[in-house]
Every structure is written in C-alpha cells, then in structure tokens.
C-alpha cells in the first residue's frame, strides 16, 4: 500500500472515530471514551488529556497531546498539511473556539502550561513556537504568513506568500485582541497590551502597546535594582 493510500485509510479511521465519539457529552463519559480510542489515530496522546465534545481534529496522526492537556468545545486543530506537526505540551489549555492550523511543512508548538483564550487563531504556514506558561487572551491572532501584493495587475491571491515564522518566549502575556504578524519574536516575560499589533521584535521583559506595538517600559527594572542593592548591603 502506497503512502497516498495509507493517508486515505488514516483519514477514514480519523473521521469515523471523531464522528462517533466527538459529540458524546461529559456526563456520558465522553472524555474518557475519547482518550481510550483516540490513541489509535493520534501521533501521541498522553494520560489525563481532557477533550470536551464538539472538538474537531484534522490530520490527527500529526498531532501530539501531552499529559493534562485540556481542550474545550468548538476548538478546531488542523494538521492536514504535508510534513506538518502540531504539539501541545503538558498542561496546555485551549478555551472555546480556538483555531490552530498547520499547512504544508509547518510546525506549531505550544509549551508546557500555556493558556490559550477563547476565539484565538493560530495559523501557519510559517512555524510558530509559543513558550511555557504563556497567557494568550481572547481573540488574539498569531499569523505566520504574509501575502505578496506588489503587482497591481494581478490578484493578491495569485502573488504568493512569505513565511518567516513566529516565536513567543516563555512567560509572555498577550492581551485581548492582540495580533502578532509573521517574522516576529516576542522575548521571554513580555506583556503586550490589548489590541496591539506586533509587527517587529519585542525584547525580553518588555511592556508594549499600540498599533504598531511599541515598547513603553521594561518589567521589574526598579525592583531588580533594589534587589541588587540589598544583596550588596
């Protein structure tokens, strides 16, 4: 059996199991049944994973779920692209209506203990890495691609895209409706104010706001100086 046929068989198993088990409510032991049988279609699914009813998976054989991952109603995770991979590490929580998409040759990795709020969209095809213990508030958008549009004689949809990727460091907090654009690195411990559009790198432990986002201060600098003085004394 060739690779294409194997892929079709895998997708058939995936559709059958998800349609059969995906809508069973919690009160009817839905989460337990899903973990018991989804292990046959996922790349990896560890113990204590909690998946509510009404969650859609596409390309489950390319999705890895660490222990204690929580996924709530309305979430859609799509890893159907060729050579794609989506990994949710231990303790990741996806609130209602989160969308994660990985197109061809795309890796999306969300680090341990990170919380993704309702209605967040995380989309390739550029690689996206979100660090540990991050807080991503409701309706944020993380988009690792840009459309080319230089030629006004052609439709924008026909001019291709660029894909540089996005990195969000550990312990970052992105406020409500923040947008992160392709090619950006947000340094560890940074806070991005609600509604900001991040189109350039943000240094570690920064507080940034606005459209486009600009750093307005550094976190904890005064406290850091005081602590160093106390050590010397």
């Amino acid at each position: 059996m060739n690779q294409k046929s194997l892929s079709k068989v895998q997708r058939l198993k995936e559709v059958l199991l998800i349609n059969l088990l995906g809508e069973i409510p919690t009160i009817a032991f839905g989460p337990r049944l899903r973990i018991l049988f989804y292990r046959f279609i996922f790349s990896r699914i560890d113990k204590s994973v909690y998946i509510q009813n009404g969650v859609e998976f596409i390309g489950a054989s390319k999705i890895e779920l660490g222990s204690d991952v929580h996924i709530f109603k309305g979430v859609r995770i799509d890893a159907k692209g060729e050579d794609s991979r989506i990994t949710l590490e231990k303790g990741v929580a996806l609130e209602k209506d989160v969308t994660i998409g990985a197109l061809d040759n795309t890796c999306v990795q969300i680090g341990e203990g990170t919380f993704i709020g309702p209605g967040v969209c995380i989309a390739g095809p550029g690689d996206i890495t979100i660090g540990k213990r991050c807080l991503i508030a409701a309706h944020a958008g993380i988009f690792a691609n840009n459309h080319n549009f230089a030629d006004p004689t052609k439709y924008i949809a026909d001019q291709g895209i660029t894909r540089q990727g996005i990195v969000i460091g550990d312990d970052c907090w992105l406020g409500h409706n923040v947008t992160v654009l392709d090619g950006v690195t947000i340094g560890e411990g940074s806070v991005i104010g609600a509604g900001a559009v991040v189109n350039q790198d943000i240094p570690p432990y920064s507080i940034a706001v606005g459209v486009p986002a600009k750093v307005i201060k550094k976190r904890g600098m005064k406290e850091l100086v005081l602590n160093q003085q106390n050590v010397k004394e």
Side-chain angles (χ1 to χ4, degrees):
M1 187 179 291
N2 60 35
Q3 188 62 39
K4 189 173 182 180
S5 297
L6 283 170
S7 178
K8 288 182 178 179
V9 170
Q10 180 67 30
R11 178 58 181 157
L12 179 61
K13 287 167 56 181
E14 175 181 286
V15 170
L16 289 174
L17 278 175
I18 291 174
N19 285 342
L20 181 64
L21 302 173
E23 294 298 334
I24 300 175
T26 301
I27 197 170
F29 305 104
R32 293 185 182 182
L33 290 171
R34 282 186 278 276
I35 296 312
L36 181 62
F37 290 100
Y38 279 8
R39 63 190 179 90
F40 295 109
I41 57 172
F42 276 76
S43 173
R44 174 171 65 93
I45 186 165
D46 288 351
K47 62 182 180 179
S48 304
V49 170
Y50 176 85
I51 302 172
Q52 276 193 343
N53 52 302
V55 175
E56 182 180 7
F57 297 101
I58 303 172
S61 64
K62 303 170 187 176
I63 299 171
E64 301 180 359
L65 304 179
S67 61
D68 299 315
V69 164
H70 282 60
I71 302 176
F72 295 94
K73 290 182 181 181
V75 169
R76 184 177 192 269
I77 302 179
D78 183 351
K80 68 177 179 290
E82 185 177 350
D83 294 325
S84 63
R85 177 71 54 185
I86 296 175
T87 301
L88 309 183
E89 299 292 353
K90 178 181 178 181
V92 167
L94 305 182
E95 271 288 357
K96 292 180 64 176
D97 301 322
V98 168
T99 300
I100 301 176
L103 301 180
D104 291 347
N105 304 301
T106 303
C107 178
V108 176
Q109 182 160 352
I110 302 178
E112 182 176 331
T114 284
F115 172 84
I116 308 293
V120 170
C121 181
I122 299 171
D127 292 342
I128 298 171
T129 301
I130 301 174
K132 299 177 182 178
R133 301 297 302 277
C134 290
L135 300 170
I136 313 296
H139 304 294
I142 299 170
F143 304 111
N145 67 83
N146 271 315
H147 288 277
N148 298 319
F149 55 88
D151 189 345
T153 67
K154 296 180 180 179
Y155 290 114
I156 294 173
D158 295 334
Q159 295 188 49
I161 61 170
T162 59
R163 44 183 292 176
Q164 300 176 61
I166 291 170
V167 176
I168 299 174
D170 297 344
D171 188 33
C172 288
W173 174 24
L174 277 58
H176 178 270
N177 206 35
V178 165
T179 300
V180 182
L181 301 181
D182 192 33
V184 163
T185 295
I186 298 177
E188 178 180 0
S190 290
V191 176
I192 310 298
V197 176
V198 186
N199 65 355
Q200 59 186 351
D201 291 353
I202 303 295
Y205 299 99
S206 298
I207 299 173
V209 299
V211 181
K214 294 183 179 179
V215 175
I216 58 170
K217 64 185 296 186
K218 300 286 283 186
R219 282 183 59 204
M221 291 302 291
K222 183 177 180 181
E223 291 81 355
L224 179 60
V225 170
L226 290 173
N227 286 338
Q228 289 175 340
Q229 289 175 343
N230 291 336
V231 170
K232 290 178 181 178
E233 292 172 359

